[in-house]
Amino acid sequence: MIGLVVVSHSAKAAEGIADVAAQMGGGNARIVPAGGDEAGIGTSPDRIREGIESADDGDGVVVLVDLGSAVMNAELAIEMAADVPAVIADAPILEGTLNAAVETTSSKATLDSVVERAEDARDYRKLN
């Protein structure tokens, strides 16, 4: 099963997003929060790498990020976890994680299909 890693500058936000996605869409999805850094607010390449390695069961990992340095540190973490096929989805973090979690539960899910479903969330509107 494709794993998911949620990267936020806030550990609490990453944990909350992972919880929402697991409960609303992907009860069996492998979702690992990797938020915050040693100082509190921020992101850590080591923490993200650990999340990638933990989320992977051999099928690969999709990483969802909030903003700014989360992207840069996720890219570095993917390089550090060279044995794990991992990609970053360009998606809103909550809606993208929820979509991705649903997709991972499909027996036909691939890295590409999970990224595509996550990125579909860019087009969602909350108001008309």
Side-chain angles (χ1 to χ4, degrees):
M1 175 180 284
I2 306 296
L4 303 175
V5 175
V6 179
V7 180
S8 172
H9 282 70
S10 165
K12 289 180 181 178
E15 291 166 8
I17 291 164
D19 286 346
V20 168
Q23 289 184 29
M24 291 183 69
N28 295 327
R30 297 176 56 87
I31 308 172
V32 177
D37 66 10
E38 297 74 23
I41 298 294
T43 58
S44 162
D46 289 327
R47 189 169 291 174
I48 299 166
R49 177 193 48 79
E50 290 168 4
I52 290 169
E53 291 170 349
S54 175
D56 183 47
D57 71 356
D59 291 331
V61 174
V62 174
V63 181
L64 296 110
V65 298
D66 60 3
L67 51 92
S69 64
V71 176
M72 177 184 65
N73 284 333
E75 290 172 339
L76 179 57
I78 288 170
E79 289 178 22
M80 293 164 56
D83 293 339
V84 178
V87 295
I88 300 170
D90 184 10
I93 192 166
L94 175 56
E95 294 89 340
T97 302
L98 177 56
N99 277 8
V102 171
E103 179 64 19
T104 66
T105 63
S106 167
S107 62
K108 297 179 182 178
T110 64
L111 277 175
D112 288 340
S113 72
V114 173
V115 168
E116 183 178 334
R117 288 289 293 135
E119 292 179 350
D120 283 347
R122 290 186 300 200
D123 298 327
Y124 291 172
R125 297 190 46 88
K126 296 176 182 159
L127 302 174
N128 291 337

